Amino acid sequence: MKKMIQRKDVSKLLVSDDYFSEKHYLLKIRQTLVAIIGWVGVILPFVWLSIPFVFPKFAKEYSFRTYVDGFQTFRFLLIFLTISFVFILIFYICMTIWNNYRFSHFLQKEPLFNEKRMEKRKKLINEAYDERFCPEEIRHNVKFYSVSEEQNLDKEFFRKMYKDNEVPL
């Protein structure tokens, strides 16, 4: 017999990030600000070191001096950030391949839901619709169908129906 995978087990199998899920607005704002500040921290030294080379008149006017240390620092930053970028790129590609592998070899081969429970829920829904509104054939064949206020479904209708019939959500 195959082991059924639960929804909570999926999050353990895949690498996920709350930043890309719905809501979590404070997390998104905070991480976006940190990313922007981080990129400013990466770009600002390059801009600062390149001012004397790109705008020599501006540099003379505001006493920017070019020293050998400036070239060495610029070269060090360039090499360091290039190596970091390559490392991060390789890491992200490996994580994407790992997620795709886990998804295709584990999650798609095993059902993520209990089929017997799902069939019972479908049967319960169809019975409830037939009881409340009328048989399905009539609903699908009429051109106009009006529902009275008493027939409207409350918010907890399905949850309560599933719980009463021992197939809770």
Side-chain angles (χ1 to χ4, degrees):
M1 179 168 181
K2 278 188 168 181
K3 179 187 167 206
M4 298 293 174
I5 295 179
Q6 301 294 322
R7 285 183 186 265
K8 59 186 171 191
D9 298 333
V10 172
S11 63
K12 293 176 186 171
L13 292 172
L14 293 178
V15 177
S16 61
D17 189 355
D18 287 338
Y19 185 87
F20 297 104
S21 62
E22 290 183 22
K23 297 185 180 170
H24 302 284
Y25 299 114
L26 290 175
L27 174 72
K28 290 178 183 183
I29 291 169
R30 188 175 67 236
Q31 285 189 358
T32 301
L33 288 175
V34 167
I36 290 170
I37 291 169
W39 278 111
V40 167
V42 168
I43 294 171
L44 191 63
F46 283 102
V47 171
W48 187 264
L49 291 172
S50 64
I51 286 175
F53 308 115
V54 177
F55 304 107
K57 290 182 183 177
F58 178 82
K60 267 189 178 177
E61 187 176 327
Y62 290 100
S63 301
F64 275 84
R65 304 274 187 247
T66 51
Y67 298 106
V68 177
D69 294 351
F71 284 117
Q72 290 174 343
T73 307
F74 190 80
R75 190 168 21 126
F76 169 76
L77 283 173
L78 192 62
I79 291 170
F80 174 76
L81 292 175
T82 302
I83 291 170
S84 299
F85 176 76
V86 169
F87 176 75
I88 290 170
L89 184 68
I90 290 170
F91 178 74
Y92 282 156
I93 289 171
C94 290
M95 291 305 291
T96 301
I97 290 169
W98 176 252
N99 255 359
N100 290 343
Y101 172 80
R102 299 287 290 177
F103 182 77
S104 63
H105 285 82
F106 295 103
L107 296 178
Q108 286 194 337
K109 294 194 182 211
E110 296 182 30
L112 298 175
F113 53 86
N114 186 329
E115 291 181 25
K116 290 178 185 175
R117 187 182 294 177
M118 186 186 70
E119 289 300 322
K120 190 169 181 182
R121 285 180 183 166
K122 280 184 182 179
K123 183 181 173 193
L124 287 170
I125 287 174
N126 288 333
E127 289 173 0
Y129 283 167
D130 289 348
E131 180 184 318
R132 246 183 209 236
F133 304 115
C134 70
E136 183 179 6
E137 300 81 31
I138 295 173
R139 290 194 314 262
H140 285 265
N141 291 326
V142 296
K143 291 185 179 184
F144 178 77
Y145 186 80
S146 179
V147 177
S148 66
E149 280 187 44
E150 297 81 32
Q151 288 177 298
N152 286 335
L153 303 172
D154 60 339
K155 291 181 181 180
E156 297 294 320
F157 175 77
F158 292 108
R159 187 180 312 274
K160 193 165 60 174
M161 179 178 64
Y162 291 156
K163 187 176 181 182
D164 293 344
N165 290 286
E166 298 174 359
V167 283
L169 291 174

